[in-house]
Amino acid sequence: LARNFSRPPRVAFATRSVLSSEMVAALMEAAKAAARTEQARVTIAILDEGGHVLELHRMEGVHAGTVEVAIA
């Protein structure tokens, strides 16, 4: 019996962008600057694609309960 030992077809893997720590820091600074411009006291959360917190900032005077909303 002859067996077919041909190579399996090549599979193309999808790539994804990942935020570097420098990118996260720049995003956070931009978000804080926008909040200051609007005179808004907010909680800012930057998440990865899986919903994991990369960075979180709660401005002074903002209720602690806003953290859960920011990461939702």
Side-chain angles (χ1 to χ4, degrees):
L1 228 197
R3 294 189 181 214
N4 184 359
F5 289 108
S6 62
R7 291 184 160 194
R10 290 188 175 254
V11 177
F13 291 97
T15 59
R16 61 186 174 117
S17 297
V18 177
L19 292 173
S20 68
S21 58
E22 292 83 12
M23 293 168 78
V24 170
L27 285 169
M28 182 58 75
E29 287 307 312
K32 290 193 299 190
R36 285 191 297 271
T37 298
E38 296 296 322
Q39 297 179 351
R41 295 183 316 172
V42 296
T43 297
I44 304 163
I46 300 175
L47 311 174
D48 66 11
E49 66 182 15
H52 303 98
V53 177
L54 297 175
E55 189 162 340
L56 180 77
H57 178 78
R58 183 170 55 98
M59 293 181 156
E60 189 173 329
V62 177
H63 190 277
T66 61
V67 170
E68 295 298 322
V69 175
I71 62 175

